Amino acid sequence: HTAYRRQRQMCIRDRSIANHYYAITLVCYERKNLLTNLIINRAVINEMKKLEKEKQINSNTFVLMPNHIHWLFQLNDIATLSEVIRNFKGRSATAYREFSKQRLWQKGFYDHLVRSDEDLTHCARYIVANPLRAHLIKNIADYPYWDSIYLNA
């Protein structure tokens, strides 16, 4: 019964919807704090930007936390959600291997289909405030590993 439920969840994940927004969470391997180095984090962010340049996604908001990433983006019609995540995790892991031989990512990812403009705003605010809630900083301006399209609005 559990195997059937897991298989069904995987099938649902593969039915991603182009032009919709998704809030994604990716977790570092064994929840280790692997995203704490400026050079590594820039390499990871560069891989995020490549997906946007390739028009697979339109990035809205992201934050790199020490042991996970929250990312809000609009999926385009070039690739499915699973393909985008696979591309990102593979490329960022390859970039990470220049600095370390250990694995970067846990298997899988968490996703939330954004269903309204209100939900979109809520997700963006949640993502941006993550370093504050984790008590990493007292002012979001002091945290270097985040971005949001709402900064320019």
Side-chain angles (χ1 to χ4, degrees):
H1 190 259
T2 304
Y4 170 75
R5 195 174 327 143
R6 212 175 296 135
Q7 182 181 14
R8 187 166 184 274
Q9 287 172 340
M10 289 175 59
C11 290
I12 291 169
R13 179 164 284 149
D14 288 339
R15 284 190 259 162
S16 52
I17 306 169
N19 302 315
H20 280 71
Y21 284 92
Y22 288 88
I24 303 298
T25 303
L26 305 170
V27 181
C28 291
Y29 185 65
E30 296 179 342
R31 289 199 166 269
K32 292 181 182 174
N33 291 338
L34 303 178
L35 300 175
T36 57
N37 177 286
L38 174 67
I39 296 169
I40 290 170
N41 287 0
R42 281 188 175 175
V44 170
I45 291 168
N46 284 339
E47 295 306 327
M48 297 167 90
K49 290 180 178 181
K50 281 182 189 176
L51 292 171
E52 192 161 28
K53 283 181 185 174
E54 294 168 355
K55 302 200 183 304
Q56 292 186 42
I57 61 159
N58 297 315
S59 190
N60 179 296
T61 303
F62 70 83
V63 65
L64 275 64
M65 298 295 288
N67 66 1
H68 65 282
I69 291 178
H70 291 291
W71 191 7
L72 177 61
F73 59 78
Q74 183 181 35
L75 185 65
N76 291 331
D77 60 0
I78 292 175
T80 66
L81 180 59
S82 292
E83 289 168 338
V84 168
I85 299 302
R86 184 172 42 250
N87 289 340
F88 171 71
K89 286 173 83 172
R91 293 173 186 181
S92 58
T94 298
Y96 179 76
R97 276 194 291 279
E98 292 182 31
F99 306 98
S100 176
K101 298 297 178 201
Q102 67 180 343
R103 289 181 55 183
L104 177 57
W105 301 115
Q106 282 190 177
K107 291 183 179 182
F109 60 95
Y110 301 97
D111 65 285
H112 166 72
L113 174 65
V114 177
R115 300 186 187 281
S116 68
D117 287 342
E118 184 178 288
D119 193 20
L120 182 66
T121 304
H122 173 78
C123 288
R125 286 181 178 153
Y126 174 86
I127 289 169
V128 170
N130 214 255
L132 295 168
R133 281 192 308 279
H135 304 288
L136 297 177
I137 41 101
K138 292 184 185 213
N139 184 325
I140 192 60
D142 296 333
Y143 196 74
Y145 309 122
W146 71 281
D147 196 12
S148 177
I149 63 168
Y150 299 115
L151 281 176
N152 301 320

PDB file of all heavy atoms in Angstrom, residues 37 39 54 58 62 77 104:
ATOM      1  N   ASN A  37      29.549  28.664   2.102  1.00  0.00           N
ATOM      2  CA  ASN A  37      30.741  29.253   1.499  1.00  0.00           C
ATOM      3  C   ASN A  37      30.335  30.169   0.345  1.00  0.00           C
ATOM      4  O   ASN A  37      29.552  29.782  -0.517  1.00  0.00           O
ATOM      5  CB  ASN A  37      31.646  28.113   1.004  1.00  0.00           C
ATOM      6  CG  ASN A  37      32.871  28.591   0.293  1.00  0.00           C
ATOM      7  OD1 ASN A  37      32.786  29.051  -0.851  1.00  0.00           O
ATOM      8  ND2 ASN A  37      34.010  28.466   0.943  1.00  0.00           N
ATOM      9  N   ILE A  39      31.887  31.215  -2.367  1.00  0.00           N
ATOM     10  CA  ILE A  39      32.211  30.742  -3.719  1.00  0.00           C
ATOM     11  C   ILE A  39      31.281  29.598  -4.126  1.00  0.00           C
ATOM     12  O   ILE A  39      30.772  29.569  -5.252  1.00  0.00           O
ATOM     13  CB  ILE A  39      33.698  30.329  -3.809  1.00  0.00           C
ATOM     14  CG1 ILE A  39      34.572  31.564  -3.581  1.00  0.00           C
ATOM     15  CG2 ILE A  39      34.003  29.690  -5.158  1.00  0.00           C
ATOM     16  CD1 ILE A  39      36.034  31.267  -3.383  1.00  0.00           C
ATOM     17  N   GLU A  54      18.108  29.749 -20.058  1.00  0.00           N
ATOM     18  CA  GLU A  54      17.647  28.721 -21.005  1.00  0.00           C
ATOM     19  C   GLU A  54      16.127  28.726 -21.162  1.00  0.00           C
ATOM     20  O   GLU A  54      15.578  27.910 -21.883  1.00  0.00           O
ATOM     21  CB  GLU A  54      18.098  27.342 -20.513  1.00  0.00           C
ATOM     22  CG  GLU A  54      19.588  27.171 -20.525  1.00  0.00           C
ATOM     23  CD  GLU A  54      20.040  25.929 -19.766  1.00  0.00           C
ATOM     24  OE1 GLU A  54      19.189  25.238 -19.150  1.00  0.00           O
ATOM     25  OE2 GLU A  54      21.244  25.659 -19.772  1.00  0.00           O
ATOM     26  N   ASN A  58      11.140  31.065 -14.917  1.00  0.00           N
ATOM     27  CA  ASN A  58      11.271  32.481 -14.581  1.00  0.00           C
ATOM     28  C   ASN A  58      11.382  32.525 -13.064  1.00  0.00           C
ATOM     29  O   ASN A  58      10.402  32.257 -12.373  1.00  0.00           O
ATOM     30  CB  ASN A  58      10.055  33.282 -15.045  1.00  0.00           C
ATOM     31  CG  ASN A  58       9.893  33.250 -16.542  1.00  0.00           C
ATOM     32  OD1 ASN A  58      10.848  33.412 -17.283  1.00  0.00           O
ATOM     33  ND2 ASN A  58       8.676  33.015 -16.996  1.00  0.00           N
ATOM     34  N   PHE A  62      14.345  33.448  -4.185  1.00  0.00           N
ATOM     35  CA  PHE A  62      15.056  32.285  -3.637  1.00  0.00           C
ATOM     36  C   PHE A  62      15.850  32.703  -2.413  1.00  0.00           C
ATOM     37  O   PHE A  62      16.151  33.877  -2.221  1.00  0.00           O
ATOM     38  CB  PHE A  62      15.987  31.632  -4.671  1.00  0.00           C
ATOM     39  CG  PHE A  62      17.197  32.457  -5.029  1.00  0.00           C
ATOM     40  CD1 PHE A  62      18.339  32.437  -4.234  1.00  0.00           C
ATOM     41  CD2 PHE A  62      17.204  33.248  -6.164  1.00  0.00           C
ATOM     42  CE1 PHE A  62      19.457  33.193  -4.558  1.00  0.00           C
ATOM     43  CE2 PHE A  62      18.313  34.010  -6.498  1.00  0.00           C
ATOM     44  CZ  PHE A  62      19.440  33.980  -5.695  1.00  0.00           C
ATOM     45  N   ASP A  77       7.250  26.105 -20.574  1.00  0.00           N
ATOM     46  CA  ASP A  77       6.786  24.889 -21.250  1.00  0.00           C
ATOM     47  C   ASP A  77       7.901  24.076 -21.892  1.00  0.00           C
ATOM     48  O   ASP A  77       7.644  23.139 -22.630  1.00  0.00           O
ATOM     49  CB  ASP A  77       5.704  25.226 -22.282  1.00  0.00           C
ATOM     50  CG  ASP A  77       6.182  26.179 -23.363  1.00  0.00           C
ATOM     51  OD1 ASP A  77       7.367  26.592 -23.339  1.00  0.00           O
ATOM     52  OD2 ASP A  77       5.372  26.517 -24.238  1.00  0.00           O
ATOM     53  N   LEU A 104      25.987  16.629  -2.540  1.00  0.00           N
ATOM     54  CA  LEU A 104      25.395  17.918  -2.193  1.00  0.00           C
ATOM     55  C   LEU A 104      23.924  17.785  -1.801  1.00  0.00           C
ATOM     56  O   LEU A 104      23.491  18.385  -0.820  1.00  0.00           O
ATOM     57  CB  LEU A 104      25.535  18.897  -3.366  1.00  0.00           C
ATOM     58  CG  LEU A 104      24.903  20.284  -3.181  1.00  0.00           C
ATOM     59  CD1 LEU A 104      25.455  20.983  -1.950  1.00  0.00           C
ATOM     60  CD2 LEU A 104      25.129  21.129  -4.425  1.00  0.00           C
TER      61      LEU A 104
END
